Amino acid sequence: MPRYFFNYRINGVLEKDPEGSELPSDEVALEEAQIAARELLAAKVRVGDLVDGDEFEITTGDGTVVHTLPLRSVLKLDEHG
Protein backbone atom coordinates (compact mmCIF):
# COMPACT_ATOMS: atom_id res chain seq x y z
CA MET A 1 0.00 0.00 0.00
CA PRO A 2 1.43 3.44 -0.88
CA ARG A 3 2.40 5.96 1.79
CA TYR A 4 1.00 9.48 1.52
CA PHE A 5 2.30 12.56 3.28
CA PHE A 6 -0.01 15.41 4.26
CA ASN A 7 2.23 18.47 4.24
CA TYR A 8 0.55 21.60 5.58
CA ARG A 9 1.16 25.06 4.18
CA ILE A 10 0.34 27.82 6.65
CA ASN A 11 1.21 31.47 6.04
CA GLY A 12 3.27 30.40 3.03
CA VAL A 13 5.47 28.01 5.04
CA LEU A 14 5.32 24.30 4.26
CA GLU A 15 5.35 22.04 7.33
CA LYS A 16 6.30 18.53 6.22
CA ASP A 17 4.46 15.48 7.51
CA PRO A 18 7.28 13.30 8.88
CA GLU A 19 5.32 10.04 9.14
CA GLY A 20 2.66 9.88 6.45
CA SER A 21 -0.08 7.27 6.25
CA GLU A 22 -0.47 4.10 4.25
CA LEU A 23 -3.62 4.40 2.16
CA PRO A 24 -4.99 2.43 -0.79
CA SER A 25 -5.29 5.27 -3.34
CA ASP A 26 -4.92 8.94 -4.21
CA GLU A 27 -8.69 9.30 -3.81
CA VAL A 28 -8.65 7.98 -0.24
CA ALA A 29 -5.72 10.29 0.57
CA LEU A 30 -7.77 13.25 -0.71
CA GLU A 31 -10.76 12.18 1.42
CA GLU A 32 -8.51 12.01 4.49
CA ALA A 33 -7.15 15.49 3.74
CA GLN A 34 -10.70 16.85 3.39
CA ILE A 35 -11.63 15.47 6.81
CA ALA A 36 -8.52 16.97 8.38
CA ALA A 37 -9.16 20.29 6.62
CA ARG A 38 -12.66 20.50 8.10
CA GLU A 39 -11.27 19.85 11.58
CA LEU A 40 -8.57 22.50 11.16
CA LEU A 41 -11.06 25.03 9.83
CA ALA A 42 -13.42 24.40 12.74
CA ALA A 43 -10.58 25.02 15.20
CA LYS A 44 -9.54 28.22 13.39
CA VAL A 45 -13.11 29.53 13.32
CA ARG A 46 -13.53 28.86 17.05
CA VAL A 47 -10.59 31.10 17.92
CA GLY A 48 -11.19 33.69 15.21
CA ASP A 49 -8.12 32.91 13.07
CA LEU A 50 -7.90 33.74 9.39
CA VAL A 51 -8.68 30.65 7.27
CA ASP A 52 -7.67 31.86 3.82
CA GLY A 53 -4.43 30.61 2.26
CA ASP A 54 -3.73 27.45 4.26
CA GLU A 55 -3.58 24.21 2.30
CA PHE A 56 -2.58 20.57 2.34
CA GLU A 57 -0.06 19.33 -0.17
CA ILE A 58 -0.50 15.57 -0.51
CA THR A 59 2.59 13.76 -1.74
CA THR A 60 3.67 10.18 -2.30
CA GLY A 61 6.78 8.66 -0.76
CA ASP A 62 8.94 9.79 -3.68
CA GLY A 63 7.79 13.41 -3.25
CA THR A 64 5.31 13.50 -6.14
CA VAL A 65 2.48 15.94 -5.41
CA VAL A 66 -0.80 14.13 -6.05
CA HIS A 67 -3.12 16.88 -4.86
CA THR A 68 -3.13 20.35 -3.35
CA LEU A 69 -6.15 21.05 -1.16
CA PRO A 70 -6.84 24.62 -0.02
CA LEU A 71 -8.58 24.38 3.34
CA ARG A 72 -11.27 26.83 2.25
CA SER A 73 -12.24 24.45 -0.58
CA VAL A 74 -14.03 22.18 1.92
CA LEU A 75 -16.39 24.93 3.06
CA LYS A 76 -19.96 24.72 1.83
CA LEU A 77 -21.36 28.18 1.42
CA ASP A 78 -24.85 29.13 0.35
CA GLU A 79 -24.52 30.70 -3.09
CA HIS A 80 -27.82 32.57 -2.67
CA GLY A 81 -27.06 34.71 0.16
Side-chain angles (χ1 to χ4, degrees):
M1 200 172 315
R3 182 168 294 274
Y4 292 89
F5 295 85
F6 298 87
N7 303 314
Y8 183 55
R9 188 175 310 278
I10 181 169
N11 297 324
V13 177
L14 188 65
E15 296 179 13
K16 294 217 173 196
D17 174 2
E19 296 177 19
S21 299
E22 288 187 357
L23 298 167
S25 68
D26 293 0
E27 292 77 20
V28 173
L30 177 57
E31 290 170 6
E32 291 294 318
Q34 290 169 330
I35 292 167
R38 287 184 188 102
E39 291 171 0
L40 285 167
L41 281 174
K44 285 178 162 285
V45 167
R46 278 194 294 275
V47 297
D49 282 353
L50 183 65
V51 297
D52 194 29
D54 296 359
E55 63 185 15
F56 277 112
E57 181 181 278
I58 306 165
T59 63
T60 57
D62 67 1
T64 302
V65 176
V66 294
H67 199 79
T68 300
L69 178 74
L71 265 60
R72 62 191 168 116
S73 72
V74 300
L75 290 174
K76 292 185 179 182
L77 301 172
D78 181 6
E79 294 178 17
H80 302 292

